[in-house]
Amino acid sequence: MTDRSEADTVAYTVADRIAWVKFNRPEKRNCMSPKLNRRMKQVLEELEFRDDVGVLVLTGEGSAWTAGMDLQEYFRETEAQGLGAIRKSQRESYGWFERLRWYEKPTIAMINGWCFGGGYGPLFGCDIAIAADDAQFGLSEINWGILPGGGASKVAQELMPFRKAMYHAMMGETLSGKQAEAQGLITEAVPADQLHTRVLEIAHVLLKKDPHALRATKWTMRRVGDMTYDNALEYQIRAQEALHSFGGAAARKEATKQFLDEKTFKPGLSTFDATKVKG
């Protein structure tokens, strides 16, 4: 199949409170076209507030996660339509990257193959990134005469040590999953045949956490990165106060009771039983 409908560019299933979302253009190594970008934003919005979804996993169909933006459809065909079409296409892609960064639920990138260029946007958007050892990461833009845009340069600079990021962007060489892990681009790399199992393990742990605390934690971790210490401290105080209004006070009281009174868990070793939270 070479001309998928817009609805078919992204596939998803929901099982046991995990939404498995897939880039679904394997014949194009899951390159992101305007159709795919529009559909991805729709899928994210469809799943975000579903009660049967507690964790979202983003992966790719076939041998790639995503090879980046589609050169034919995203660049050449869009540019032929003029500046208005270019801006519209940019807003559609950057829009779902942003939605992913501030998603209501925990997100995991399950990187099963190639992750190139524009793929660094959703890579950064996911909270946790687990890759196969033999996955390939690359900013190949320099090899065809442009800079790594669409946020990709910032992602590399944000996640990797400066000298590693500079080399990565300027040389156009690929990194294996293990190299990407060593340089901070991803959370962890595992053998390909263990990838799904490892992601499932992480998802199950996240599903046991209080969802309001998870949301507040992930948003805080993203916000405080460019703050001074004093501003970050103030933000965290206000974020904790806001968390209480989302049910965080009840969760904290229940967790404290389980630790101090019932002695059923130790915070450094396990998670309190969030199913007992009332209110």
Side-chain angles (χ1 to χ4, degrees):
M1 181 181 293
T2 58
D3 187 21
R4 292 178 180 268
S5 69
E6 186 166 314
D8 196 38
T9 58
V10 178
Y12 73 85
T13 58
V14 176
D16 300 323
R17 300 192 63 229
I18 302 171
W20 301 88
V21 179
K22 287 186 176 182
F23 297 106
N24 193 38
R25 302 183 72 212
E27 70 282 354
K28 297 288 187 178
R29 295 192 186 273
N30 296 323
C31 283
M32 294 179 284
S33 64
K35 288 180 180 179
L36 183 146
N37 290 328
R38 287 192 294 269
R39 181 56 182 154
M40 187 64 78
K41 187 168 187 292
Q42 292 172 353
V43 167
L44 292 178
E45 290 175 346
E46 288 172 14
L47 296 170
E48 190 164 20
F49 292 99
R50 280 179 49 165
D51 292 336
D52 62 339
V53 174
V55 173
L56 184 144
V57 177
L58 180 59
T59 189
E61 183 64 48
S63 62
W65 197 65
T66 175
M69 293 302 183
D70 189 307
L71 298 186
Q72 177 69 28
E73 296 184 34
Y74 184 84
F75 287 108
R76 177 176 287 177
E77 293 179 7
T78 300
E79 289 169 359
Q81 299 173 51
L83 183 59
I86 293 172
R87 291 289 182 258
K88 180 176 183 292
S89 187
Q90 289 171 336
R91 287 194 296 270
E92 289 170 345
S93 59
Y94 304 157
W96 80 263
F97 295 175
E98 181 183 25
R99 183 71 247 118
L100 192 59
R101 285 200 308 277
W102 303 107
Y103 211 59
E104 293 277 340
K105 310 289 175 67
T107 56
I108 304 171
M110 185 171 83
I111 303 151
N112 53 303
W114 286 16
C115 175
F116 277 74
Y120 280 37
L123 171 66
F124 184 58
C126 289
D127 304 317
I128 295 170
I130 309 298
D133 283 347
D134 57 1
Q136 295 290 307
F137 296 81
L139 296 180
S140 59
E141 286 86 345
I142 192 67
N143 295 336
W144 45 284
I146 67 171
L147 61 84
S153 298
K154 176 60 175 172
V155 171
Q157 190 273 335
E158 186 84 11
L159 298 179
M160 303 167 72
F162 175 77
R163 290 299 178 193
K164 295 295 185 182
M166 185 68 81
Y167 186 93
H168 188 50
M170 292 183 68
M171 295 295 287
E173 298 174 353
T174 60
L175 298 174
S176 68
K178 277 298 184 186
Q179 289 172 318
E181 176 188 7
Q183 296 186 23
L185 191 58
I186 60 171
T187 309
E188 184 180 334
V190 298
D193 62 357
Q194 298 175 25
L195 179 60
H196 185 271
T197 298
R198 179 60 180 140
V199 169
L200 201 58
E201 290 175 351
I202 293 170
H204 284 160
V205 171
L206 291 171
L207 287 171
K208 294 178 181 178
K209 312 289 186 186
D210 177 71
H212 303 301
L214 274 175
R215 180 182 59 236
T217 297
K218 58 181 278 183
W219 289 357
T220 296
M221 291 298 290
R222 289 191 182 275
R223 289 291 185 195
V224 300
D226 57 358
M227 294 181 183
T228 64
Y229 181 86
D230 287 343
N231 287 343
L233 180 60
E234 178 68 16
Y235 176 86
Q236 291 170 75
I237 291 171
R238 304 307 166 210
Q240 183 64 51
E241 292 172 348
L243 174 59
H244 287 171
S245 68
F246 276 94
R252 187 174 67 173
K253 288 179 181 178
E254 177 61 34
T256 301
K257 183 179 74 172
Q258 291 178 27
F259 174 57
L260 291 179
D261 304 330
E262 301 173 0
K263 302 186 185 307
T264 55
F265 92 108
K266 296 180 179 180
L269 300 176
S270 59
T271 301
F272 83 104
D273 186 352
T275 64
K276 294 183 178 181
V277 177
K278 298 177 181 179

